[in-house]
Amino acid sequence: QILNPEGLKPIYLKGTAHLLSGLYPDIAERMLSDIDFLLEENDARKAWELLKKSSYFQQIKFGESNFEGFRHLPALIKDDEVASVEIHTRLFDDLLNEKLNFSHLNSESYSLPTQNAFAPSVKHQILHNILNAQNNDQAAKEPKVLLRNYYDLLLLSQMEDSLKVVKESGMDFDLMNNYIALAADILDYPPSVTFEKTSAGTKYVEKARWIWEHPKKANKKGKISFLRIRLYRYVSQFLLLFIDARVRKRIFKSLGNKDYRKAHWAMYKKWFS
């Protein structure tokens, strides 16, 4: 109602798209905390301003002006509404964005029952389900049990063969096949969740099981992994600071904001307190 009159037609993502498209036999099967949708980068700022004029506001105060720095803008909330809103400009922060982005999703999106509301094709929903977990949630490096995601994949796979989708995508097969293998293992191998039995997939499932069976050792390993990832992030951002004006602007604004520094320190407290 807010965006359509201004010519903006967002593509809804993840749980929001699943709920609006009727994926679940009962809507109580899927909980969510935010409404995710995707727009072209030029339209994202316009959508942001329109929502703010409609009484949405930014709960976390840092990052408002850093629209170029992240795959989605800071979440907006509104009094008496049950979910926050995240406006995405891209699905991934790295080279994957070249292989799956707004242009790809828009070319195969379909209209939802709600007027001028759109969802990605089932194929693209499957790819986003897998790659969001493996890439954005870092599950490719340290296997995570994501029951909600696996259940979504189960239902999507009943509509389209997930293994076929993965093979035809031309993207990293092992990374995606490993995810499906673990999902199938957790769900007790339902017929619709098909994958190829590979040595990489077997090792990935075994690694997940090792984490469950050795929680103390896994926690110690997780701390080391967290520090390694943070170190990589600091070094890469430091180097980009000298060659990318957008990164430079984001870093200086973030470091000068006490809310950002507090949230950053909270990551360390979570792991080491």
Side-chain angles (χ1 to χ4, degrees), residues 229-243 247 251:
I229 292 170
R230 295 315 307 168
L231 178 61
Y232 170 81
R233 176 74 174 173
Y234 295 144
V235 172
S236 63
Q237 292 300 294
F238 178 75
L239 294 175
L240 287 172
L241 184 146
F242 296 99
I243 60 176
V247 173
I251 289 175

Side-chain angles (χ1 to χ4, degrees), residues 134 139-140 142-147 150 153 174-190 193-196 200-212:
Q134 295 294 77
E142 290 295 327
K144 300 177 182 178
V145 176
L146 305 166
L147 293 176
Y150 297 158
L153 180 67
D174 278 339
L175 179 138
M176 293 191 282
N177 187 64
N178 291 351
Y179 174 90
I180 302 175
L182 182 55
D185 185 74
I186 294 295
L187 297 172
D188 200 23
Y189 299 97
V193 182
T194 57
F195 64 97
E196 278 193 6
T202 300
K203 289 178 181 178
Y204 188 77
V205 173
E206 289 176 349
K207 187 175 182 181
R209 290 183 172 275
W210 182 88
I211 291 172
W212 312 332

Side-chain angles (χ1 to χ4, degrees), residues 11-27 29-32 34 36 110 112-113 118-130 132 148-157 159 179:
I11 300 175
Y12 289 92
L13 303 171
K14 300 186 288 187
T16 311
H18 302 336
L19 284 166
L20 291 174
S21 61
L23 182 65
Y24 309 102
D26 187 315
I27 61 170
E29 293 183 5
R30 183 55 148 89
M31 298 177 70
L32 52 80
D34 49 36
D36 298 285
Y110 67 96
L112 295 163
F118 296 86
S121 64
V122 173
K123 175 185 76 175
H124 285 147
Q125 289 186 57
I126 289 172
L127 291 175
H128 191 210
N129 175 286
I130 297 171
N132 184 66
R148 184 177 63 179
N149 300 53
Y150 297 158
Y151 182 62
D152 290 346
L153 180 67
L154 170 66
L155 297 182
L156 291 168
S157 296
M159 302 169 65
Y179 174 90

Side-chain angles (χ1 to χ4, degrees), residues 83-96:
S84 61
V85 176
E86 285 190 352
I87 306 171
H88 289 249
T89 58
R90 54 187 184 272
L91 301 177
F92 312 102
D93 288 329
D94 56 17
L95 293 177
L96 272 178

